[in-house]
Amino acid sequence: LLRTAPKGSADPGFTPISWSEALDIATRRIRELAAADGRQAIAFAVTTPSGTAIADSFAWIHRLAHAFGSPNLVFATENCNWHKDFSPMLTWGAGIGMPDFDRTGLILLWGFNPTATWLSQVERIKAAQRRGAKVVAIDPRRQGLARSANLWLGVRPGTDGALALGLCHLLIERGGADMGFLRQYTDAAFLVRQDDGALLKAADVCGPGYDDAPVIWDEIRGGPVPYDRATRLPADAGARPALVGRFDLPAGASIVSASTVFDRLRDQCAAFPPERVQSLTGVPADQIIQLADWLASSGPASFFTWTGTAQHAGATQMARAIHVLYALTGCLDAPGGNVWFARPLLEDVARFDWVTPETRALTLGLGERPLGPPQRGWITTRDLSRAIATEVPYPVRALVSFGGDFALTKPKTAHAQEALRKLDFFLMTELFLTPSCQEADLIFPAASCWEREGLQPGFMVDAAAEAWIQLRPAVVPAVGESRSDTAIVFELARRLGLADRFFGGDPEPGLAAMLKPTGLSPTDLRREPRGLRQALPDAIGARRQNGFATDSGRVELFAASLATVGEDPIPTYRPPPEPVPGGDYPLRLTCAKWPQFRHSQERQSASIRAAMPHPLVQIHPSNAAARGIADGDRITVHTPTGSFTGRAELSSAVLPEVVCAQYGWWDAEAPFTDPGLSFNAAIDGEDFDAVSGSNALRSAVCNIDGHGSP
Ligand SMILES: Nc1nc2c(c(=O)[nH]1)N[C@H]1C(S)=C(S)[C@@H](COP(=O)(O)OP(=O)(O)OC[C@H]3O[C@@H](n4cnc5c(=O)[nH]c(N)nc54)[C@H](O)[C@@H]3O)O[C@H]1N2
Ligand SMILES: Nc1nc2c(c(=O)[nH]1)N[C@H]1C(S)=C(S)[C@@H](COP(=O)(O)OP(=O)(O)OC[C@H]3O[C@@H](n4cnc5c(=O)[nH]c(N)nc54)[C@H](O)[C@@H]3O)O[C@H]1N2
Ligand SMILES: [Mo]
């Protein structure tokens, strides 16, 4: 579809043209704009691989951006998987892994509702519970598995960091922390300087010839010993590292005072006793103590967390607090704990290594958030919009997007609307005309997952599932002229002169190359359309044995790199905005997913709309009564920065002070009119986490107004 009306028109006047004409226009415009303003002026975007089948083309889309030479790729990671898959790297050099459901004694579901979002986990969790494992849910709503959980902690949105630090405090003070694990696998014994709060370096206190290795205090000899990163042990084999204590060490002519990382953590957590945590989080103190005791005594503990803890302006410290808490249990990478199952190894065709250091330095947001998604070439729509609209730090002229409905799934920012209009060329590959298509210049029709093949290595939830590899066949021929995203990528690459990096422009040898490390060919997999299991070694415990992928090779309670961006290397608490009872915004606003929808999708499906026709806003009956709102009434939710409307769903599953709404709503009959249904219109996109850029989608203050029944 080619746009025929000027930008900003209510009706873009999309007109069908042929594929060859469309591909000609696309390649010509991309070449022209890159020639005028540089390759960084062409941004790419991709929808979420967790909520769409773009997963099948994800690596190829990245390869296109990387081969082309653009450092800018928009992807929802900061609000989605960053705090599950990447920010834990600060603590243990990997994502959170997966609970070892078959052997765990306790499963902590923290801001994660698999009943709506991941059913294969639900089956495993229920089976574990039948076997005797405890299930604990931490969620402002008693929804899904929280209903049948052994314990539900109804936490106020955005206060999870205080809860985690309070649990750390209790584990440490009540003897529930696994001191053996801390000693053997973590940095708990490393010394931290009192003066500047940095890790003490061997060069400071061990004399000439030493480098920046961390230092431990040897209790036997009563002096400092450097830590050896190669062996992951103190350089002196006879040393016994002190886990607690403060020490004065001669450093040249002066004395430097230091305490252990464990001491620092203990001190910082001491500010979160149960009574204070109750007043911050709303969770009763006795429940917090109960959970701390279970974490110490219920056999190996495991956890899963996702967007409930990711979508806050303090998400990085919140994640750190949760990861440090989990490290204290000593269950990481052990049977029954959070583990990493072996999965089929594919060739990494995304080739981020093709992006030169000079180009990477141009990544939007990298200067501000060097430890966040920009380090991997992922930028936010907020940074993109600013660059387009203001041309700071440089102009961005084109956007090549593979799905994604950022008009609805990203929060409101200063330049969003203006930016899409200002783009010189906006190419969208989509299944449907969505609100984000309104300012597009050209739309390519994408084939859905049913109309094309898709390769999936590993199905995550247990060792057998993770060892499974499948080349899923198409189940219907492509409808109309739609093409797979992968086919579109290869064709664009060929026409942009990148054929040599795209197997001559043919996806088939690309697929074979991707599969090569598995020893399988596309033909092998096509013969087994259900997929097959690869024989893979048991990977549990490998990190304990071979070292964690951190600077020290150990789990790091002290994340030194955070200091380089002005953040505390020991977890701290950043409170969300506080509602004021009797004030303009007396309630807390959060959101969640429902089984019927993926983000902004499915609104165009008449059968799903029949089952769920209106955006739901869950409110507690006490709030409804106080405002004369009945179940099903039309209501408006106001925040300090915007508003949206929906239908009240009276529910005692939400905490009394909490409003929990659906997001991603639009009018599929009139995609280019704004019916005022979008949750994210009420969220301030300029308030974000300083490290990751995650938005405060789940910790706003609000009020609600009823408008009676429709
Ligand atoms: N308030 C609030 N906002 C949120 C969230 C929240 O919890 N609350 N969640 C956040 C999260 S976790 C995420 S991941 C993001 C998701 O944000 P987006 O990536 O914008 O996700 P969707 O709204 O699902 O948009 C998907 C679009 O891609 C199209 N699409 C689907 N499959 C394909 C395909 O195979 N190829 C192509 N080319 N297009 C396809 C669909 O038609 C749809 O229009 O939203 C974030 N926004
Ligand atoms: N049906 C469906 N399934 C999906 C998706 C979808 O859109 N629809 N999207 C996929 C994607 S991309 C993702 S990222 C995953 C997300 O999967 P989940 O993270 O499970 O998604 P949600 O249901 O949005 O959020 C989980 C829970 O967080 C709670 N919550 C809200 N605020 C807070 C808070 O401040 N603290 C705590 N502790 N909890 C809070 C909500 O009440 C909710 O029960 O789902 C995937 N699966
Ligand atoms: Mo997501």
Side-chain angles (χ1 to χ4, degrees), residues 46-57 61 75-77 79-81 306-307 311 401-411 428-437 444-449 452 484-485 488 591-593 598-602 604 661-664 666 679-680 683 697-698:
V46 63
T47 182
T48 171
S50 309
T52 74
I54 205 80
D56 301 327
S57 310
I61 291 165
F75 157 42
T77 187
N79 293 322
C80 179
N81 66 328
W306 206 344
T307 54
Q311 299 176 348
S401 189
F402 293 85
D405 203 352
F406 18 84
L408 297 165
T409 55
K410 300 293 177 97
M428 179 60 111
T429 296
E430 253 294 353
L431 296 161
F432 302 99
L433 281 184
T434 67
S436 294
C437 294
F444 286 170
S448 71
C449 59
R452 55 164 178 75
S484 77
D485 293 277
I488 293 169
C591 53
K593 306 191 203 313
R598 291 164 301 154
H599 312 289
S600 72
Q601 297 172 79
E602 282 82 32
Q604 63 283 331
Q662 294 180 338
Y663 67 94
W666 50 291
F679 178 102
N680 282 342
I683 301 299
L697 302 173
R698 301 204 180 197

Side-chain angles (χ1 to χ4, degrees), residues 48-52 79-81 110-114 116-118 138-141 143 155-160 305-309 311-312 318 590-601 660 663 698-699:
T48 171
S50 309
T52 74
N79 293 322
C80 179
N81 66 328
W110 201 322
F112 172 55
N113 179 21
T117 60
W118 195 338
I138 302 179
D139 197 303
R141 302 183 306 155
Q143 201 83 28
V155 67
R156 290 182 186 132
T159 66
D160 303 78
T305 183
W306 206 344
T307 54
T309 61
Q311 299 176 348
H312 303 284
M318 187 186 289
T590 188
C591 53
K593 306 191 203 313
W594 266 252
Q596 286 84 354
F597 305 111
R598 291 164 301 154
H599 312 289
S600 72
Q601 297 172 79
C660 180
Y663 67 94
R698 301 204 180 197
S699 36

Side-chain angles (χ1 to χ4, degrees), residues 56 448-456 470-477 525-531:
D56 301 327
S448 71
C449 59
W450 316 115
E451 305 167 71
R452 55 164 178 75
E453 277 186 335
L455 177 64
Q456 179 67 28
Q470 183 193 28
L471 185 58
R472 197 191 60 245
V475 295
V476 291
L525 284 173
R526 284 188 187 120
R527 256 198 309 265
E528 300 281 351
R530 291 177 45 115

